[in-house]
Amino acid sequence: MTVSKTAEKSGDAAKGRKDVGDAQIHGHAEALQLGELSEQLGYVLKRAQLKVFENFIRCMASLQLTPAQFSVLLLVEKNPGRNQTEVASTLGILRPNFVALLDNLESRDLCARIRSTNDRRSHILVLTDKGKAVLSRAKKLVATKHESRLNELLEPANREALLQMLSKIANEF
Amino acid sequence: MTVSKTAEKSGDAAKGRKDVGDAQIHGHAEALQLGELSEQLGYVLKRAQLKVFENFIRCMASLQLTPAQFSVLLLVEKNPGRNQTEVASTLGILRPNFVALLDNLESRDLCARIRSTNDRRSHILVLTDKGKAVLSRAKKLVATKHESRLNELLEPANREALLQMLSKIANEF
DNA sequence: TATTGTTATACTCTATAACTATA
DNA sequence: TATAGTTATAGAGTATAACAATA
């Protein structure tokens, strides 16, 4: 919302000179001061989230899996036999919006809708063999390319603390 | 992307019973297992971010300020006299998308565009008196309603560590 | 009557190209 | 020629209402 994916240049910062004569003539080259913005949790959270998604998408380019698609595959693998409503609502996806997402995964033969015999209104979701194979490769990519990048930035203990705090916010805020 | 704003009920969890007979007949009532999803930084980050924005918007309802609008007011207050391109790009907002956002703030007399005398292509941005007053009230609302809520959840030291890790991710990932 | 999956639709955010006025 | 602000437009993501099939 506040933040886009490109446009990250952010100017070339003040080069340590005292006079601003150049800026007066040719325009300000100095980066703006973020001030209180850098203390705003929502702002920093949003920018961090965009960066992480961006990196995720880049790491998954060869498999063409978005974060949302990956989350569906993970959840269906862990909970085979659940219906669309259950899977969608667990992920916070509205049922109408889940249809196109599933159409995509199904058309790529990654997952399948099966009419439930108990309740013929329901579509039970399962991963196809190809879906399982792709998910397995996806997990490896996440581990070797995506998470490894994160581990360079944060200490393992910090990484765990970060996840725990974010979960707390997600669940209790 | 993976996550919507409503649809947060997430089922009423398993009630500690052993048999799943009821589920077999009337459908699964048990919550799905998140599994590896709860360890995915991107997933947790996104859900936390949505919760924080949701709360922010609720806290700001009386002033009708979105997170994006608040971030613009904060940045212009801290850096008066910069032009649209500078402010927008600092916030990661694309220039074309910044126009409507500014139109809105200007129509509410919160900020003003002033044609620069140095470079008549540029619009210098400043807060109006009303803009300063509204921003001041907004900051108080953020402190008393929004941040106070966060402080109930996290220890002050943890809050600072969280912000620092998120900044690191936002800037270096 | 209620629920599942679905369609249609609208609104917001984000992204790109191209115009205008200035430089 | 290049840049600032703007317009138009397209694409995601998200939201609500309503329908057919089934319970």
Side-chain angles (χ1 to χ4, degrees):
Chain A
M1 126 157 304
T2 290
V3 173
S4 83
K5 275 165 196 155
T6 58
E8 291 290 344
K9 28 197 107 177
S10 81
D12 16 332
K15 296 179 194 69
R17 53 181 144 70
K18 286 272 172 49
D19 66 308
V20 285
D22 184 75
Q24 306 285 14
I25 298 168
H26 297 300
H28 292 271
E30 306 83 30
L32 276 68
Q33 295 193 295
L34 287 185
E36 300 168 63
L37 212 46
S38 52
E39 296 292 319
Q40 284 295 317
L41 177 67
Y43 178 75
V44 182
L45 208 40
K46 176 90 187 187
R47 296 206 76 128
Q49 183 262 310
L50 286 175
K51 276 292 186 71
V52 170
F53 267 45
E54 212 178 301
N55 181 270
F56 182 97
I57 290 167
R58 205 161 35 230
C59 293
M60 288 302 206
S62 61
L63 295 178
Q64 285 287 97
L65 283 182
T66 65
Q69 291 167 341
F70 180 69
S71 69
V72 171
L73 295 182
L74 265 187
L75 196 60
V76 172
E77 181 195 48
K78 181 77 179 180
N79 303 272
R82 297 306 195 106
N83 67 26
Q84 295 185 198
T85 298
E86 291 173 314
V87 173
S89 93
T90 300
L91 293 173
I93 300 173
L94 294 173
R95 276 62 79 221
N97 299 331
F98 196 49
V99 174
L101 204 172
L102 264 190
D103 286 348
N104 180 307
L105 293 178
E106 202 173 23
S107 72
R108 293 158 68 184
D109 191 31
L110 299 180
C111 93
R113 293 184 243 226
I114 303 173
R115 194 120 237 163
S116 167
T117 50
N118 300 330
D119 183 341
R120 290 178 43 71
R121 291 171 302 183
S122 290
H123 289 172
I124 290 315
L125 299 180
V126 292
L127 295 193
T128 62
D129 288 343
K130 185 181 170 198
K132 289 172 190 167
V134 167
L135 179 55
S136 168
R137 281 199 282 155
K139 285 181 189 176
K140 283 179 192 126
L141 282 181
V142 167
T144 60
K145 291 191 149 64
H146 185 63
E147 284 176 358
S148 64
R149 183 85 186 74
L150 181 68
N151 292 334
E152 290 171 18
L153 276 184
L154 303 180
E155 300 297 324
N158 287 343
R159 192 212 129 97
E160 206 42 55
L162 173 63
L163 219 51
Q164 193 245 315
M165 286 190 275
L166 291 175
S167 296
K168 185 154 192 166
I169 291 173
N171 295 318
E172 302 173 33
F173 204 118
Chain B
M1 114 164 315
T2 290
V3 174
S4 80
K5 276 164 194 155
T6 58
E8 290 290 343
K9 29 198 105 177
S10 79
D12 15 329
K15 298 182 193 68
R17 52 180 145 70
K18 285 273 171 49
D19 66 309
V20 285
D22 185 76
Q24 305 285 14
I25 299 168
H26 297 301
H28 292 272
E30 305 84 30
L32 276 68
Q33 295 193 294
L34 287 184
E36 301 169 63
L37 211 46
S38 52
E39 296 293 318
Q40 283 296 317
L41 177 67
Y43 178 75
V44 183
L45 210 40
K46 177 90 187 187
R47 296 205 76 128
Q49 184 261 311
L50 285 175
K51 276 292 185 72
V52 170
F53 268 45
E54 211 178 300
N55 181 270
F56 182 96
I57 290 167
R58 206 161 35 231
C59 294
M60 287 303 205
S62 62
L63 294 178
Q64 285 287 96
L65 282 182
T66 65
Q69 291 166 341
F70 180 69
S71 70
V72 171
L73 295 183
L74 264 187
L75 197 60
V76 172
E77 180 195 48
K78 181 77 177 180
N79 302 273
R82 296 304 194 106
N83 67 28
Q84 294 185 199
T85 298
E86 292 173 313
V87 172
S89 93
T90 300
L91 293 174
I93 301 172
L94 293 173
R95 275 62 79 221
N97 298 333
F98 195 49
V99 174
L101 205 171
L102 263 191
D103 286 348
N104 179 307
L105 293 179
E106 202 173 22
S107 72
R108 294 159 67 184
D109 192 30
L110 299 180
C111 94
R113 294 185 243 228
I114 303 174
R115 194 120 237 162
S116 167
T117 50
N118 300 330
D119 183 342
R120 291 179 41 73
R121 291 171 303 183
S122 292
H123 290 171
I124 290 315
L125 299 180
V126 292
L127 295 192
T128 62
D129 288 343
K130 184 181 171 197
K132 289 173 191 168
V134 167
L135 178 55
S136 169
R137 280 200 283 155
K139 286 182 189 176
K140 282 179 192 129
L141 282 181
V142 166
T144 59
K145 291 189 149 64
H146 184 64
E147 284 176 0
S148 63
R149 182 87 188 71
L150 180 69
N151 291 335
E152 290 171 18
L153 276 184
L154 303 179
E155 300 296 325
N158 286 344
R159 192 212 129 97
E160 206 42 55
L162 173 64
L163 218 53
Q164 193 246 314
M165 285 190 274
L166 291 175
S167 295
K168 186 154 191 166
I169 292 173
N171 295 319
E172 301 173 34
F173 204 117

